[in-house]
Amino acid sequence: MTGTARPRIRLLLPAALAALAVTATTAAASTSPTTTAPHPVTSPDHRAHAKNPRAMLDAWLRLWNGDYTKAPGIISPEFTVHAALLDGGDGSGIHGADGLVAWIAQTRAAFPDLRFSLQTDPLVAGRRASVRWTATGTYAGGFPGAKAQPGTRVTFTGTDTLRIEDGKFVEYWLNSDTLQLLTQLRAL
């Protein structure tokens, strides 16, 4: 892999997987992705989510669907990611709302119509929430090593687990079926 391919893979795959998990939580609530600038904008309704984990998960899903205005209301400045990335990284370089939004935007560049749907109801226990999702989208090209043609439909699954502190998400663990995605992209 080239030096420029590694950062793209590092950001793209986990984001795609995370996006799938998140979008799954609120796919029913959001019918079309909102594409805004890849920088969070203060959300006027962020306080409404602070005490309600299910509302936070709904905003999380909308965020992954491209509504970046949700990020400041639900993502702590101390937000960190734990994920097995294709380049061998662990996601620890992604921090706060801006880092997460940049990661999501890179993912959506390769799969602009990426949509998530829930496979099961979210689980909420104390300060942790978890969702199992399925992601579906159309490959637009640009994934390093992929031999699939732009326009190829992809579907993959995963689970997002999030820790909540002071009404915001502070930690995120992503577990997604990378093999399933890479097979469809013909990147193996």
Side-chain angles (χ1 to χ4, degrees):
M1 252 183 232
T2 67
T4 57
R6 282 184 178 230
R8 180 146 175 107
I9 287 175
R10 181 179 184 179
L11 295 176
L12 179 63
L13 185 60
L17 301 176
L20 295 178
V22 172
T23 309
T25 352
T26 10
S30 177
T31 57
S32 66
T34 303
T35 54
T36 59
H39 295 289
V41 178
T42 303
S43 173
D45 64 346
H46 72 275
R47 279 179 286 242
H49 303 302
K51 301 293 183 204
N52 183 341
R54 295 221 181 226
M56 290 175 65
L57 289 170
D58 182 62
W60 174 257
L61 178 61
R62 290 174 187 264
L63 173 62
W64 280 102
N65 280 330
D67 185 355
Y68 304 131
T69 63
K70 303 298 180 193
I74 62 168
I75 304 299
S76 168
E78 291 81 31
F79 180 82
T80 58
V81 174
H82 308 280
L85 305 179
L86 288 178
D87 67 354
D90 61 4
S92 61
I94 302 165
H95 297 284
D98 288 338
L100 179 61
V101 167
W103 187 37
I104 294 169
Q106 278 198 328
T107 300
R108 296 189 64 78
F111 306 94
D113 65 346
L114 191 62
R115 299 297 301 164
F116 295 85
S117 61
L118 293 180
Q119 289 185 340
T120 63
D121 289 336
L123 300 174
V124 178
R127 297 185 308 146
R128 289 191 170 63
S130 186
V131 293
R132 175 73 180 166
W133 47 262
T134 297
T136 303
T138 306
Y139 176 55
F143 193 97
K147 294 176 186 84
Q149 294 297 311
T152 299
R153 296 287 293 166
V154 298
T155 300
F156 59 102
T157 59
T159 302
D160 288 352
T161 301
L162 299 129
R163 183 172 64 86
I164 303 165
E165 191 173 293
D166 297 325
K168 293 191 176 191
F169 294 125
V170 294
E171 277 187 285
Y172 170 43
W173 292 266
L174 169 63
N175 184 339
S176 61
D177 192 342
T178 305
L179 179 60
Q180 186 179 23
L181 177 62
L182 292 177
T183 300
Q184 292 170 71
L185 293 176
R186 298 180 43 220
L188 297 175

